[in-house]
C-alpha cells in the first residue's frame, strides 16, 4: 500500500510539472511574455489641447522586436513607446500585429516628425520614419485623426530631452 501512494505522488508531481511546462510554452508562444514591463504617462500637446496616454515602454531589443505583436486589442488612450536612442532612421512593420495602428515617429526634441496612420495588420511592408527619430509611439488606428495629432506637435515624456 505504501508503494501505491508513492507511485501516485510521483505521477501527480510529474503531471504538475508537465502542466507548468505547457503553460510556460503557451505563454511564450502567444507573445504575452514580451509585454513591456514599465507603464508611463505621455502627453501630446495639440492645437486642440493636451492628450494623455498610458504607454508601455519598449526599451530592450526583445521588447522592440515584439512590440504589439499578437495583441487582439488596444484600448483608446493606451499605447507603446519604443526607445530608439540615439536618434536614428527607424523602420517598423506590422508582422504578426493583428490590430491596425497609428505609428507616431518622434524626434529627440519631442516634436512629431511623421505619422503613419491606419497601418495594415499582418503586413511586412516597411514603414519608415523618413528622418531621424528617437522614439515611436504606437496607438490604436484613428487616434491621430480623433485627437488632431499632427507633425510638429510636441510630445512630453522623459525620453525626449528630459521632458
Amino acid at each position: 500500500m505504501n508503494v501505491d501512494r508513492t507511485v501516485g505522488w510521483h505521477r501527480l508531481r510529474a503531471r504538475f510539472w508537465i502542466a507548468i511546462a505547457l503553460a510556460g510554452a503557451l505563454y511564450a508562444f502567444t507573445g504575452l511574455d514580451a509585454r513591456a514591463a514599465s507603464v508611463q504617462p505621455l502627453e501630446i500637446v495639440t492645437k486642440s489641447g493636451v492628450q494623455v496616454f498610458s504607454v508601455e515602454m519598449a526599451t530592450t531589443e526583445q521588447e522592440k522586436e515584439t512590440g504589439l505583436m499578437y495583441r487582439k486589442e488596444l484600448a483608446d488612450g493606451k499605447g507603446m513607446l519604443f526607445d530608439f536612442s540615439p536618434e536614428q532612421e527607424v523602420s517598423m512593420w506590422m508582422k504578426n500585429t493583428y490590430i491596425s495602428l497609428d505609428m507616431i515617429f518622434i524626434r529627440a526634441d519631442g516634436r512629431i516628425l511623421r505619422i503613419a496612420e491606419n497601418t495594415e495588420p499582418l503586413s511586412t511592408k516597411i514603414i519608415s520614419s523618413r528622418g531621424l527619430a528617437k522614439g515611436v509611439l504606437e496607438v490604436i488606428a484613428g487616434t491621430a485623426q480623433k485627437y488632431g495629432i499632427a507633425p510638429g506637435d510636441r510630445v512630453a515624456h522623459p525620453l525626449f530631452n528630459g521632458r
Side-chain angles (χ1 to χ4, degrees):
M1 186 122 157
N2 194 12
V3 173
D4 287 337
R5 285 185 182 167
T6 302
V7 170
W9 169 249
H10 287 295
R11 284 185 183 156
L12 182 62
R13 197 167 92 182
R15 286 181 184 163
F16 171 78
W17 287 112
I18 289 170
I20 294 294
L22 288 173
L26 179 61
Y27 192 67
F29 178 75
T30 60
L32 296 175
D33 62 326
R35 291 189 185 208
S38 174
V39 177
Q40 301 177 1
L42 175 144
E43 296 179 349
I44 301 179
V45 181
T46 70
K47 291 178 182 174
S48 61
V50 177
Q51 301 303 319
V52 181
F53 297 88
S54 177
V55 297
E56 295 176 58
M57 294 299 300
T59 56
T60 68
E61 286 308 309
Q62 164 125 16
E63 290 167 345
K64 289 188 276 190
E65 287 173 11
T66 306
L68 293 171
M69 286 182 177
Y70 310 108
R71 308 265 182 113
K72 300 291 185 181
E73 59 186 28
L74 181 63
D76 188 33
K78 305 287 184 189
M80 182 172 281
L81 180 61
F82 294 76
D83 181 351
F84 286 105
S85 299
E87 194 174 45
Q88 59 191 277
E89 281 277 342
V90 175
S91 295
M92 307 288 279
W93 66 359
M94 294 289 292
K95 182 178 181 181
N96 298 319
T97 306
Y98 297 105
I99 51 178
S100 183
L101 302 170
D102 285 352
M103 292 183 186
I104 302 172
F105 296 88
I106 308 161
R107 298 189 314 225
D109 67 359
R111 294 282 179 182
I112 294 175
L113 170 67
R114 172 177 187 256
I115 303 173
E117 295 185 63
N118 304 304
T119 58
E120 180 184 347
L122 305 173
S123 172
T124 56
K125 178 182 172 190
I126 299 299
I127 302 164
S128 172
S129 60
R130 297 184 188 159
L132 300 179
K134 186 173 183 180
V136 179
L137 173 63
E138 290 184 343
V139 291
I140 196 69
T143 298
Q145 183 177 3
K146 179 178 181 179
Y147 296 113
I149 299 169
D153 287 348
R154 181 172 297 282
V155 176
H157 183 273
L159 179 61
F160 308 106
N161 289 340
R163 292 185 199 111

